[in-house]
Amino acid sequence: MKTSASNPMNKAHSSPRCLARTRRGTLCQCPALRGRTRCKLHGGKTQGGGAPVGNKNRLVHGRHSRAHREAMALIRQFQRAARDCLDPG
Ligand SMILES: [Zn+2]
């Protein structure tokens, strides 16, 4: 390949490269966004974390918490005892 100092593509090719790892295990090597270390495909535009603000996937409702499970076990125990009182046979 012919390289010369007057070729404007020399500057473009010498720009910082994205160092994200691809699915093949190689480095992405697309041009990184200005002032960033990643390209537009690998989170170069994000300001902080990649997750959206107020992520509802992380919602904790407490249905499977230890306190709730113990309360439900106690309720079932009372139900069993009440059933046995009403119908001893
Ligand atoms: Zn990339």
Side-chain angles (χ1 to χ4, degrees):
M1 189 169 83
K2 185 177 172 184
T3 59
S4 69
S6 62
N7 189 349
M9 290 307 290
N10 286 346
K11 186 179 176 187
H13 288 145
S14 65
S15 66
R17 295 290 145 171
C18 175
L19 300 176
R21 195 165 300 282
T22 64
R23 287 190 245 178
R24 290 173 53 194
T26 60
L27 295 180
C28 171
Q29 296 185 339
C30 284
L33 294 183
R34 190 171 298 153
R36 302 281 178 175
T37 59
R38 295 291 185 260
C39 72
K40 62 181 181 181
L41 300 176
H42 291 116
K45 286 184 173 181
T46 60
Q47 294 295 321
V53 176
N55 190 358
K56 295 288 188 286
N57 292 334
R58 182 62 182 94
L59 181 67
V60 176
H61 47 69
R63 186 173 190 170
H64 303 285
S65 68
R66 176 177 296 189
H68 186 264
R69 280 185 286 142
E70 288 174 355
M72 293 306 290
L74 195 62
I75 289 172
R76 281 194 298 273
Q77 191 178 344
F78 283 136
Q79 284 177 332
R80 213 174 297 123
R83 200 178 308 126
D84 291 344
C85 281
L86 293 174
D87 187 20

